[in-house]
Amino acid sequence: MTRPRTDSAQGLPDVGDHNREHLDRPGPSGMLGIPKWHKMWDDAVMRISILTREYPPFIYGGAGVHVGQLVSHLEPRCDLVDVQCMGEPRPGATAHPETFPTGANAALRVLGTDVAMAAAVPQVDIVHSHTWYTNMAGLLTSKMLNIPHVVTAHSLEPHRPWKAEQLGGGYRVSSWAEHTAFLDATAVIAVSEGMAHDVLESYNDLDPDKIFVVRNGIDTDDFYPEPDTAKLVELGIDLDAPLVVFVGRITRQKGLVHLVRAAQQFDSDTQLLLLAGAPDTPDIEQEFTEAFSTLKATRHNVTWVVDMVPRQDLRRILTHASVFACPSIYEPLGIVNLEAMACQTAVVATNVGGIPEVVVDQETGILVPYDPAQADDPQYVSRFETQFAEAVNSLTRDRERATAFGKAGRNRCIEEFSWDSVADQTINVYRHAIQTFAS
């Protein structure tokens, strides 16, 4: 856990060189001065309620992956880890359907679910909400039980204006809910230094002392190089030709349309495999489908898989990829890049958000500059897509370099992004929040 440094002139975190001390050495250390062995009381136990929309096995994004891993690593460290989620019933959690009020805007139904969720939380020491979907449930629980509320910022509504296409007026509701919960929370966890910067830039009325950086993690015992090629053969992949892989949802945020257009400029022997589903809106689905059809008309070696593949098959696909492509135009951290790196695959990604804190340019992959402020300039977007294609081609043409990047990426995952470390740092934020709330 680190605290973002503050630029005194702007009041924003400095995302350059920063103090990466952890809280796991004897004596005062890190920002909080709470070493890992510190306990606020003898034989302390901690009871936590985790509020989330996604929870395994029903997950569709990075926040769901994060929560699933965090819960499993908190359970051995805590007396109770209660989980409240949304959607279908599932083991290990209390699930709440998003059905009330019937027929209402999706954002209003989320708030209805938040009320039900808050009413179901047992007596705990701290409540921890993830994403705007449960932030208001966390705020209500905090008031009802008189306990501290910690929020984790996996993304920010002000940085996702395209969600207005999905939610209509509900986007104003989701933005209000997020902002209100952040201001009221005892602590805000950002999943990267870039996200910490964005939080304060978006919500400049938020106390910077509330913000702590705890990066996402990766389970390198779950994601690792697995050379079996059966799934690739089933998908019709040529094992002797370069392969570029994308994994993610069909959303504006993930930049998939940019990748499909960039692929027009890939070397002719380079294959493209898209594991892409769950479009945000019919308009986005249509835009992507048209772009893919245009690409498919000129290249025979492109494949689109809509259904989610099992974890084992995903490992095998990532392992065999020459390059993993992440063309996101907004990405707080990017767990998917960690998954690819853990499978020892080189990454080509946009230089946005928290991605540079994961992918080290010219060491574990290549970062391609992208300026969201120029997203409406067709000439700029075309240049960006060309630069992305050039970066991909430079690695598919140089397998030795791509292999070196892949090995460096897996080593970085092992050394810098363990979930045990994430859990320890998160508990230290909890302890600090309990102290702050009590005072």
Side-chain angles (χ1 to χ4, degrees), residues 176-236:
W176 165 82
E178 180 179 89
H179 187 192
T180 302
F182 276 38
L183 290 181
D184 190 77
T186 310
V188 175
I189 294 176
V191 297
S192 66
E193 291 278 355
M195 172 57 82
H197 181 283
D198 290 345
V199 168
L200 286 178
E201 186 176 54
S202 299
Y203 303 133
N204 56 20
D205 49 351
L206 182 67
D207 180 0
D209 288 339
K210 285 186 176 184
I211 302 177
F212 303 88
V213 173
V214 180
R215 291 180 182 82
N216 284 325
I218 182 68
D219 185 349
T220 53
D221 291 329
D222 196 16
F223 283 90
Y224 54 86
E226 187 170 347
D228 188 291
T229 58
K231 184 64 178 180
L232 293 140
V233 172
E234 177 188 325
L235 293 173

Side-chain angles (χ1 to χ4, degrees), residues 9 60 67 79 86 92 172 249 258 275 299 410:
Y60 57 84
V67 171
D79 188 56
M86 298 184 181
R172 290 187 290 274
R249 291 175 292 131
H258 295 307
L275 306 181
R299 299 178 68 99
R410 177 161 175 81

Side-chain angles (χ1 to χ4, degrees), residues 142-159:
S142 173
K143 302 305 181 190
M144 290 296 297
L145 300 182
N146 195 31
I147 57 174
H149 176 206
V150 173
V151 304
T152 288
H154 295 276
S155 60
L156 291 171
E157 293 301 278
H159 284 254

Side-chain angles (χ1 to χ4, degrees), residues 52-132:
T52 176
R53 189 189 198 199
E54 305 173 55
Y55 192 68
F58 305 118
I59 59 175
Y60 57 84
V65 174
H66 174 105
V67 171
Q69 288 285 354
L70 181 63
V71 167
S72 67
H73 286 79
L74 286 177
E75 285 175 335
R77 293 165 165 82
C78 300
D79 188 56
L80 170 69
V81 181
D82 169 68
V83 179
Q84 305 284 330
C85 68
M86 298 184 181
E88 298 297 319
R90 69 208 72 180
T94 302
H96 304 269
E98 297 176 53
T99 55
F100 179 81
T102 304
N105 180 282
L108 295 180
R109 285 187 279 112
V110 166
L111 295 184
T113 309
D114 282 345
V115 173
M117 189 176 279
V121 175
Q123 186 62 54
V124 291
D125 303 306
I126 199 158
V127 60
H128 184 180
S129 69
H130 295 260
T131 76
W132 84 267

